[in-house]
Amino acid sequence: MQPNGTLRARAALAGLISIFLPMLSPAQAPAPAVPPLPVPPKPGAAPGQARIPDDLIGDEHVREEFGVNEFTTPSIRKLFEMLDGLGRLSYDALKRPITRKTPSDRVLVSLGLGSLIADGFLIVQCEKVEAMEDVGRALIKYAKVLGTGDRMNRHTQSLFEHSIEGKWDKLRSELALTQADVEAEMVQLRDVDIAHLVSLGGWVRAFEIASRSISENYTAEKTQRLIRPDIAEHYRDSLSNLNPALQANPALATLKKGLDEIVPLMGGPEAKTLTEEQANKLAEKAAELARIVTDPMKG
């Protein structure tokens, strides 16, 4: 017998499938609100472009097919695997309010979409079926603003069906494929810089979750997962390679400055673990960066 609360949550989510799918009609997806941006050279990274750390490279064939590869954007699924060694996460402590408003700035929408995918992974990690409704509605709204509703439609039904059935591994795969299809659409629209920002938003939120969890339940061993200056430096450098029009965006300028500031808080090149005080300071800085991505209306 399933607990009554679980049955009610699953029944409610079943109804959501029929609500969400019509909202994802390609005819309703608006055209991009900013001019297209140039696609980077496909074979490899441009001179000076930061290479993504090897353990963040996703293996989904669709990413390579559309030119989104090891030299462009890491998979949010790979980013969120940083949390696997942290044990059981406290959803109540790490969740955030999901706003019903959608930013008009495509930069903030892109960052926010990445953070929502990370929120989806948090839901999977904590097995909170009932929490998928708000995140799912927000994902649809953000994807429509970016003009990616057509591709999102391929995964939305599976996303909610796997939630209802409690198939957490398959749900994680669907979330990763959601990112991959957003990226594919951006490349086709010659707006690949936006795909990078989706990945950045995912990392910022995932890192906030990891650092807060460790700060609240400190052990020196767990802090090893926070000592990743290579990831922070990759994203910082990738911001310098965006289209100049995007580099002038205030949110991105603030994020770049914050990424510069967060690297020294990771303990330096010889660090093996962080003290509790260092972990607390890193969590505070991560929360500052996350607010830029998750609370765009207040930024």
Side-chain angles (χ1 to χ4, degrees):
M1 293 286 291
Q2 293 283 352
N4 290 337
T6 301
L7 290 173
R8 285 196 298 269
R10 292 184 175 183
L13 282 168
L16 288 175
I17 296 173
S18 62
I19 296 173
F20 286 149
L21 290 182
M23 294 172 65
L24 287 171
S25 170
Q28 293 179 330
V34 298
L37 300 174
V39 178
K42 185 170 183 178
Q49 187 173 2
R51 182 185 178 91
I52 293 169
D54 291 341
D55 60 332
L56 299 186
I57 298 172
D59 59 0
E60 300 91 352
H61 69 277
V62 69
R63 306 179 83 239
E64 183 63 38
E65 177 184 350
F66 286 93
V68 182
N69 52 43
E70 62 191 277
F71 298 107
T72 56
T73 54
S75 166
I76 294 175
R77 174 167 60 185
K78 288 288 184 179
L79 296 173
F80 215 80
E81 284 174 359
M82 293 187 302
L83 305 186
D84 285 344
L86 299 183
R88 190 74 175 178
L89 300 176
S90 171
Y91 184 75
D92 288 339
L94 298 170
K95 68 181 180 180
R96 67 180 178 97
I98 304 298
T99 178
R100 295 186 178 184
K101 297 181 179 179
T102 306
S104 57
D105 183 343
R106 291 188 83 226
V107 166
L108 295 177
V109 171
S110 305
L111 294 168
L113 181 61
S115 72
L116 287 166
I117 296 173
D119 285 315
F121 279 112
L122 176 63
I123 291 170
V124 172
Q125 203 87 353
C126 298
E127 298 187 0
K128 292 289 184 179
V129 177
E130 67 280 2
M132 188 60 73
E133 176 179 352
D134 288 343
V135 170
R137 287 185 181 277
L139 277 171
I140 289 170
K141 289 180 180 179
Y142 279 56
K144 287 174 66 179
V145 171
L146 293 180
T148 61
D150 189 12
R151 291 189 179 276
M152 184 75 78
N153 187 34
R154 300 180 182 182
H155 302 294
T156 303
Q157 184 171 0
S158 294
L159 193 70
F160 287 96
E161 285 178 348
H162 294 328
S163 296
I164 294 166
E165 297 166 3
K167 295 180 178 178
W168 303 109
D169 289 341
K170 291 185 177 180
L171 182 54
R172 181 179 287 212
S173 295
E174 288 297 334
L175 285 164
L177 289 172
T178 296
Q179 178 199 2
D181 272 358
V182 170
E183 292 169 348
E185 189 71 27
M186 291 300 97
V187 172
Q188 287 193 332
L189 293 172
R190 303 189 66 81
D191 210 352
V192 72
D193 281 355
I194 293 296
H196 301 337
L197 298 182
V198 173
S199 177
L200 171 57
W203 178 75
V204 168
R205 174 65 174 139
F207 191 76
E208 180 203 16
I209 291 169
S211 60
R212 282 178 54 194
S213 178
I214 291 172
S215 176
E216 293 171 8
N217 300 278
Y218 173 82
T219 66
E221 182 181 4
K222 288 181 180 180
T223 64
Q224 295 173 6
R225 295 178 176 269
L226 301 180
I227 304 174
R228 295 305 305 266
D230 55 338
I231 302 178
E233 289 169 351
H234 161 74
Y235 281 116
R236 178 199 63 197
D237 295 344
S238 70
L239 289 176
S240 298
N241 288 290
L242 295 177
N243 182 285
L246 288 182
Q247 291 187 45
N249 184 284
L252 294 186
T254 304
L255 275 175
K256 185 177 179 182
K257 182 175 182 291
L259 291 170
D260 274 330
E261 295 169 347
I262 209 169
V263 170
L265 298 178
M266 294 179 175
E270 304 301 323
K272 301 299 182 183
T273 61
L274 300 177
T275 66
E276 187 169 4
E277 181 181 2
Q278 288 175 314
N280 290 340
K281 288 182 178 179
L282 190 58
E284 290 173 6
K285 190 62 184 179
E288 287 181 19
L289 291 181
R291 280 194 289 271
I292 300 169
V293 171
T294 61
D295 294 327
M297 302 301 177
K298 297 179 182 179

